[in-house]
Amino acid sequence: MKRRIDTTAVSEMDFDVLIIGGGITGAGIFKEAGKQGYRCLLAEKGDFASGTSSRSAKLIHGGLRYLRHGQIGLVRESLQERNYLLATYPHLVKPLPFLFPVFRSKYLYSPAMSFYQFLGKTTLLPPYRFLDKRETFTLCPFLPDAHMKGSFLYYDAVTNDARLCVEVIDDGTRFNNNIALNYCEVTGVKTGRTLHEVICYDHIEKQHIYLRAKVIINASGVWTDQVLQKLLSRQATHNAPSKGIHLVFSQKKLPLYTALIIPSYAGDGRMNYALPWEHHSVLFGTTDTDFNGDPDQPDCTPDDIYYLLHSLNSFFTGQPFSTEDILFAYSGLRPLMKSNKSSRARSRDYSIWWENDFILNISGGKLTGFHAMALNLLRELRKKISPSSSVSVNHKRQTQPAYDVKELPQEFTTRILSNFTEKAPELLLLAQNRPTLTQRIHADYDFTLAEALYYIRHRSCYHLDDLLTRRLALTYVLNGSEAKDTIITQLASLMKTECGWSEEEYNAEVRSYYALLLRPLLHEKES
């Protein structure tokens, strides 16, 4: 397997900053630093967004529940960032209505709802309102009737977290010829007077490479302490992650078209939520437990699955849910800062600090706030180094290829224009030259072969998991499809051709992907 970027040439360049971590935090820093004129290189040991940033709640929100803990500043900043993301990435961040059923007096919750709306003042989303019982059942007819007074209907937003992260990174490469490498693991550093040599292992070409930068930014999330140990050879204990799991159901089993908030069965003060997502799926989560294991393996345990299933069955008493109904389960870690509080009580805020004058760290925070986190970190970076040049934009990337929309199916053209915005011309030209690419991957799913091919060629796909999980999001629902094997074989064959896999590499990729796809279900059967 070969890289699409010449790492030999990269190793001869000098960078202002080398960012460790290709999750949403590192992605935001990479983009915003480039916009300010910094020469940047981003290195991620796995695929972009393969850690926390593809295993989140998929929500862009202020955090209504954080008001209960008095975290008003965090909620205000998150709501401002929600509005920024709705305006900046409208094809990836979309308004989502939430139903909050009320079983006591609505006046217990009205002040919090009003304050939440006030903090997030925007014309991008409708205002909240209270629905009576009849209106509530019109929106969600299978809700339990007993003691319900009505519901609050309010709006936040939903996204595809992995696709958003990959797009932010791609946007970052527009500036100053900045470079992002996935499957490039930082293993050490040799310090110098003005430039530091960062030692990396290239998991694609199986070799060490050496990269030079003035400052290292550690944006590795739950791996922050591990990275500092590699770079400084000393034990660090800044992080104390918490784990959250989500279950995926078919919309046929859980027919929701608005997000729904329900109380946990355990009486632990948590609220669970179900939200409609891509490919006619519904996500249900989440747990919040302290985590002390390997951050590369945050498995869904039988206890985790029982907790969520019991909550569902305690609320929806008329239609029992079992492990047989689960299409997929995924587990992610929140990069919380160390504290003597339990994970549920710990702040979702973030910290920025220096180590040894050349390593700038950021940890904590949440998906919604990545842009503000980046800007705050860059204010701190400017105290140490200024951008090396004025901002330059890669004009070659701005050239819009010519295509004739009349030669393409209208449904396909509309989909590409609405989902890819400024990148759409590349896909449309690709499909114009190869008309078969306008076909859907499968009749049950909206994605087309053109999109799959584009992701492989232009969005750093090297493994089947990269494409099926973090670019197309099919992994969440394939276990419920009779065409699962056909789809996997079709896309694996496409990648084999594009990536130059040998027959042995092709077979290994397919075996590895099936193991990933079935692993959560094996845990569920054990429960």
Side-chain angles (χ1 to χ4, degrees), residues 11 18 20 41 43 45 181 184-191 196-203 207-213 216 227 230-231 358:
S11 66
L18 185 145
I20 303 174
L41 173 67
K45 74 172 185 175
L181 299 172
C184 180
E185 182 175 5
V186 171
T187 59
V189 63
K190 294 179 181 178
T191 59
H196 309 286
E197 187 176 64
V198 181
I199 306 161
C200 303
Y201 185 73
D202 182 349
H203 288 278
Q207 63 181 3
H208 283 92
I209 56 177
Y210 302 87
L211 308 168
R212 299 190 300 270
I216 297 170
V227 168
K230 290 179 182 179
L231 297 179
F358 69 95

Side-chain angles (χ1 to χ4, degrees), residues 323-342:
T323 56
E324 299 297 322
D325 299 312
I326 301 172
L327 300 182
F328 194 66
Y330 64 93
S331 177
L333 299 178
R334 303 174 185 91
L336 305 184
M337 302 302 293
K338 190 174 182 181
S339 165
N340 56 6
K341 296 180 180 179
S342 71

